Amino acid sequence: MKLSEFRFDLPQNLIALNPTENREDARMMVVNRKNKTIEHKKFTDIIDYFGEGDVLVTNNTKVFPARLYGNKEKTGAQIEVFLLRELNREHRLWDVLVDPARKIRVGNKLYFGDSDLVAEVIDNTTSRGRTIRFLYDGDHDALMQAIHELGETPLPDEIRFKRAATEDDRDRFQTIYAEHVGAVAAPTAGLHFSKIVMKRMELNGAQFTPITLHVGLGTFRQVDVEDLTKHKTDSEHFMIDDSTCNFVNEAIDNKKQVLAVGTTVMKALESSVSASGHLKPINSWTDKFIFPPYEFKIPTALLTNFHLPESILLMMASAFGGHELITEAYKQAIKEKYRFFSYGDVMLII
């Protein structure tokens, strides 16, 4: 398929700048692939769709405050450093994006807070990319605590250019089951789950089980080629353990539902499929890019937010739900004024 087939006009006022007051208050569109139907529900209705033996796979990655603001040595020029991933824990090396990039060269020292944290630029990786080394005497936990105190919640540009990040974002741009630190963006479909909703689903016999995929900025990177087969996505680290494989494979064998809670879960599940069509444990990296047409092996259902035009997340949802049906669903979403993007409403594709 072509990039232009995922282009549509999205009114800017439909991009949600803030979450709903309560996590479970979002609206939910239910798209049925078999019946080609589209229904308008509320998120709490998800309880009615999953029962005994069904498995809901979540992503338990945890967002850290990856955006740091500081100053360049000597000139005092203000700089922004976005921490992408830790490259070497022992040597405190990080892969980062910097802005303004033209002012930040190898050898420069960068100061954050009241010089509580200092980093040295040791390599250029891309036009905006750098490798930095934190000059820090404490252990790794103390360094991460310093980053946590000085850093800002890494809201996507579509939100942060319209409002500043707040303390509330530290909680709301995080799922309630977040556990393993490493993401620079939230697995947003999971933001809707509250403890009450999860407990009610478990009482109905549904089982929650986690994978870990550390969401990177590549998830939001603009696709700049018309031929989608030529687009390359950034690799993201992910892990699936034996316990989750057992739950998922039992559901497959018993012809029960396997819900991928978000596109990151979908990507992880489809990146570790055995020859028999079962899920296998893994600790690796994936750059899998899913777009129509694609034959899914593991999930039978997908929960996902409403995505931006031409995004790889929209392409994955279209691959799962069918391009024509998802295109119609998005037309209805705009007409019905659903809230889009990270803090927006949600779509359940069954």
Side-chain angles (χ1 to χ4, degrees), residues 18-37:
N18 295 283
T20 54
E21 183 174 350
N22 300 304
R23 288 181 179 271
E24 67 270 30
D25 286 348
R27 299 163 71 192
M28 182 174 73
M29 179 185 287
V30 180
V31 178
N32 188 304
R33 297 182 293 166
K34 181 179 179 181
N35 300 333
K36 308 294 186 194
T37 57

mmCIF file of all heavy atoms in Angstrom, residues 18-37:
data_model
loop_
_atom_site.group_PDB
_atom_site.id
_atom_site.type_symbol
_atom_site.label_atom_id
_atom_site.label_comp_id
_atom_site.label_asym_id
_atom_site.label_seq_id
_atom_site.Cartn_x
_atom_site.Cartn_y
_atom_site.Cartn_z
ATOM 1 N N ASN A 18 -5.421 16.745 27.074
ATOM 2 C CA ASN A 18 -5.424 16.273 28.458
ATOM 3 C C ASN A 18 -6.184 14.955 28.543
ATOM 4 O O ASN A 18 -7.072 14.685 27.720
ATOM 5 C CB ASN A 18 -6.090 17.297 29.375
ATOM 6 C CG ASN A 18 -5.315 18.596 29.441
ATOM 7 O OD1 ASN A 18 -4.287 18.691 30.111
ATOM 8 N ND2 ASN A 18 -5.792 19.626 28.733
ATOM 9 N N PRO A 19 -5.877 14.128 29.534
ATOM 10 C CA PRO A 19 -6.638 12.883 29.713
ATOM 11 C C PRO A 19 -8.009 13.169 30.307
ATOM 12 O O PRO A 19 -8.262 14.273 30.808
ATOM 13 C CB PRO A 19 -5.767 12.097 30.695
ATOM 14 C CG PRO A 19 -5.060 13.145 31.490
ATOM 15 C CD PRO A 19 -4.808 14.284 30.540
ATOM 16 N N THR A 20 -8.882 12.189 30.253
ATOM 17 C CA THR A 20 -10.170 12.304 30.935
ATOM 18 C C THR A 20 -9.928 12.345 32.444
ATOM 19 O O THR A 20 -8.867 11.949 32.924
ATOM 20 C CB THR A 20 -11.074 11.103 30.606
ATOM 21 O OG1 THR A 20 -10.358 9.883 30.912
ATOM 22 C CG2 THR A 20 -11.472 11.098 29.138
ATOM 23 N N GLU A 21 -10.922 12.832 33.182
ATOM 24 C CA GLU A 21 -10.743 12.984 34.626
ATOM 25 C C GLU A 21 -10.400 11.649 35.282
ATOM 26 O O GLU A 21 -9.507 11.549 36.122
ATOM 27 C CB GLU A 21 -11.998 13.577 35.263
ATOM 28 C CG GLU A 21 -11.843 13.829 36.754
ATOM 29 C CD GLU A 21 -13.044 14.545 37.353
ATOM 30 O OE1 GLU A 21 -13.915 15.012 36.599
ATOM 31 O OE2 GLU A 21 -13.117 14.619 38.591
ATOM 32 N N ASN A 22 -11.129 10.601 34.888
ATOM 33 C CA ASN A 22 -10.851 9.249 35.363
ATOM 34 C C ASN A 22 -10.381 8.405 34.183
ATOM 35 O O ASN A 22 -10.861 8.581 33.060
ATOM 36 C CB ASN A 22 -12.094 8.620 35.992
ATOM 37 C CG ASN A 22 -12.607 9.417 37.178
ATOM 38 O OD1 ASN A 22 -11.876 9.661 38.137
ATOM 39 N ND2 ASN A 22 -13.865 9.840 37.112
ATOM 40 N N ARG A 23 -9.475 7.481 34.440
ATOM 41 C CA ARG A 23 -8.888 6.691 33.359
ATOM 42 C C ARG A 23 -9.937 5.993 32.494
ATOM 43 O O ARG A 23 -9.813 5.911 31.279
ATOM 44 C CB ARG A 23 -7.928 5.648 33.936
ATOM 45 C CG ARG A 23 -6.632 6.232 34.472
ATOM 46 C CD ARG A 23 -5.720 5.153 35.013
ATOM 47 N NE ARG A 23 -4.465 5.727 35.501
ATOM 48 C CZ ARG A 23 -3.372 5.917 34.772
ATOM 49 N NH1 ARG A 23 -3.394 5.567 33.490
ATOM 50 N NH2 ARG A 23 -2.275 6.424 35.288
ATOM 51 N N GLU A 24 -10.974 5.467 33.140
ATOM 52 C CA GLU A 24 -11.933 4.635 32.411
ATOM 53 C C GLU A 24 -13.058 5.430 31.756
ATOM 54 O O GLU A 24 -13.991 4.847 31.206
ATOM 55 C CB GLU A 24 -12.525 3.570 33.345
ATOM 56 C CG GLU A 24 -13.397 4.101 34.461
ATOM 57 C CD GLU A 24 -12.628 4.411 35.732
ATOM 58 O OE1 GLU A 24 -11.442 4.756 35.650
ATOM 59 O OE2 GLU A 24 -13.231 4.306 36.812
ATOM 60 N N ASP A 25 -12.974 6.776 31.779
ATOM 61 C CA ASP A 25 -14.063 7.607 31.264
ATOM 62 C C ASP A 25 -14.069 7.790 29.750
ATOM 63 O O ASP A 25 -14.938 8.474 29.212
ATOM 64 C CB ASP A 25 -14.018 9.004 31.906
ATOM 65 C CG ASP A 25 -14.503 8.980 33.342
ATOM 66 O OD1 ASP A 25 -15.079 7.960 33.753
ATOM 67 O OD2 ASP A 25 -14.288 9.988 34.056
ATOM 68 N N ALA A 26 -13.099 7.226 29.058
ATOM 69 C CA ALA A 26 -13.002 7.418 27.612
ATOM 70 C C ALA A 26 -14.173 6.760 26.877
ATOM 71 O O ALA A 26 -14.798 5.813 27.374
ATOM 72 C CB ALA A 26 -11.685 6.852 27.096
ATOM 73 N N ARG A 27 -14.432 7.267 25.687
ATOM 74 C CA ARG A 27 -15.368 6.585 24.791
ATOM 75 C C ARG A 27 -14.627 5.448 24.080
ATOM 76 O O ARG A 27 -13.410 5.472 23.956
ATOM 77 C CB ARG A 27 -15.919 7.565 23.748
ATOM 78 C CG ARG A 27 -16.692 8.717 24.359
ATOM 79 C CD ARG A 27 -16.870 9.853 23.369
ATOM 80 N NE ARG A 27 -17.803 9.501 22.304
ATOM 81 C CZ ARG A 27 -17.953 10.232 21.187
ATOM 82 N NH1 ARG A 27 -17.208 11.303 20.982
ATOM 83 N NH2 ARG A 27 -18.832 9.868 20.272
ATOM 84 N N MET A 28 -15.392 4.468 23.622
ATOM 85 C CA MET A 28 -14.794 3.329 22.924
ATOM 86 C C MET A 28 -15.626 2.982 21.697
ATOM 87 O O MET A 28 -16.822 2.700 21.803
ATOM 88 C CB MET A 28 -14.692 2.108 23.851
ATOM 89 C CG MET A 28 -14.030 0.895 23.186
ATOM 90 S SD MET A 28 -13.743 -0.484 24.348
ATOM 91 C CE MET A 28 -15.440 -1.092 24.567
ATOM 92 N N MET A 29 -14.996 3.017 20.550
ATOM 93 C CA MET A 29 -15.615 2.541 19.319
ATOM 94 C C MET A 29 -15.304 1.056 19.164
ATOM 95 O O MET A 29 -14.151 0.645 19.325
ATOM 96 C CB MET A 29 -15.076 3.314 18.107
ATOM 97 C CG MET A 29 -15.652 2.850 16.778
ATOM 98 S SD MET A 29 -14.884 3.691 15.360
ATOM 99 C CE MET A 29 -15.614 5.309 15.496
ATOM 100 N N VAL A 30 -16.319 0.256 18.886
ATOM 101 C CA VAL A 30 -16.121 -1.184 18.714
ATOM 102 C C VAL A 30 -16.303 -1.527 17.235
ATOM 103 O O VAL A 30 -17.379 -1.308 16.657
ATOM 104 C CB VAL A 30 -17.102 -1.998 19.578
ATOM 105 C CG1 VAL A 30 -16.870 -3.493 19.367
ATOM 106 C CG2 VAL A 30 -16.947 -1.634 21.049
ATOM 107 N N VAL A 31 -15.237 -2.033 16.645
ATOM 108 C CA VAL A 31 -15.234 -2.380 15.216
ATOM 109 C C VAL A 31 -15.195 -3.899 15.095
ATOM 110 O O VAL A 31 -14.268 -4.549 15.585
ATOM 111 C CB VAL A 31 -14.019 -1.754 14.508
ATOM 112 C CG1 VAL A 31 -14.001 -2.155 13.032
ATOM 113 C CG2 VAL A 31 -14.034 -0.233 14.640
ATOM 114 N N ASN A 32 -16.212 -4.466 14.459
ATOM 115 C CA ASN A 32 -16.318 -5.912 14.286
ATOM 116 C C ASN A 32 -15.885 -6.278 12.870
ATOM 117 O O ASN A 32 -16.550 -5.917 11.894
ATOM 118 C CB ASN A 32 -17.753 -6.381 14.545
ATOM 119 C CG ASN A 32 -17.878 -7.896 14.573
ATOM 120 O OD1 ASN A 32 -17.499 -8.567 13.627
ATOM 121 N ND2 ASN A 32 -18.404 -8.423 15.668
ATOM 122 N N ARG A 33 -14.772 -6.989 12.773
ATOM 123 C CA ARG A 33 -14.200 -7.310 11.450
ATOM 124 C C ARG A 33 -15.094 -8.263 10.660
ATOM 125 O O ARG A 33 -15.217 -8.146 9.438
ATOM 126 C CB ARG A 33 -12.817 -7.952 11.623
ATOM 127 C CG ARG A 33 -11.791 -7.027 12.268
ATOM 128 C CD ARG A 33 -10.439 -7.706 12.353
ATOM 129 N NE ARG A 33 -10.450 -8.836 13.271
ATOM 130 C CZ ARG A 33 -9.506 -9.764 13.344
ATOM 131 N NH1 ARG A 33 -8.484 -9.714 12.520
ATOM 132 N NH2 ARG A 33 -9.574 -10.736 14.235
ATOM 133 N N LYS A 34 -15.699 -9.208 11.369
ATOM 134 C CA LYS A 34 -16.508 -10.223 10.685
ATOM 135 C C LYS A 34 -17.815 -9.632 10.175
ATOM 136 O O LYS A 34 -18.198 -9.839 9.009
ATOM 137 C CB LYS A 34 -16.801 -11.381 11.641
ATOM 138 C CG LYS A 34 -17.621 -12.492 11.022
ATOM 139 C CD LYS A 34 -17.857 -13.619 12.026
ATOM 140 C CE LYS A 34 -18.707 -14.729 11.419
ATOM 141 N NZ LYS A 34 -18.973 -15.815 12.399
ATOM 142 N N ASN A 35 -18.502 -8.883 11.033
ATOM 143 C CA ASN A 35 -19.813 -8.333 10.662
ATOM 144 C C ASN A 35 -19.729 -6.988 9.968
ATOM 145 O O ASN A 35 -20.759 -6.459 9.522
ATOM 146 C CB ASN A 35 -20.689 -8.200 11.916
ATOM 147 C CG ASN A 35 -20.921 -9.541 12.596
ATOM 148 O OD1 ASN A 35 -20.889 -10.581 11.949
ATOM 149 N ND2 ASN A 35 -21.153 -9.511 13.903
ATOM 150 N N LYS A 36 -18.517 -6.403 9.916
ATOM 151 C CA LYS A 36 -18.309 -5.076 9.307
ATOM 152 C C LYS A 36 -19.167 -4.010 9.982
ATOM 153 O O LYS A 36 -19.711 -3.118 9.319
ATOM 154 C CB LYS A 36 -18.620 -5.106 7.802
ATOM 155 C CG LYS A 36 -17.923 -6.199 7.029
ATOM 156 C CD LYS A 36 -16.415 -6.017 7.001
ATOM 157 C CE LYS A 36 -15.754 -7.049 6.095
ATOM 158 N NZ LYS A 36 -14.294 -7.122 6.293
ATOM 159 N N THR A 37 -19.295 -4.105 11.300
ATOM 160 C CA THR A 37 -20.123 -3.143 12.033
ATOM 161 C C THR A 37 -19.248 -2.225 12.880
ATOM 162 O O THR A 37 -18.139 -2.579 13.272
ATOM 163 C CB THR A 37 -21.125 -3.859 12.955
ATOM 164 O OG1 THR A 37 -20.399 -4.720 13.852
ATOM 165 C CG2 THR A 37 -22.108 -4.677 12.145
#
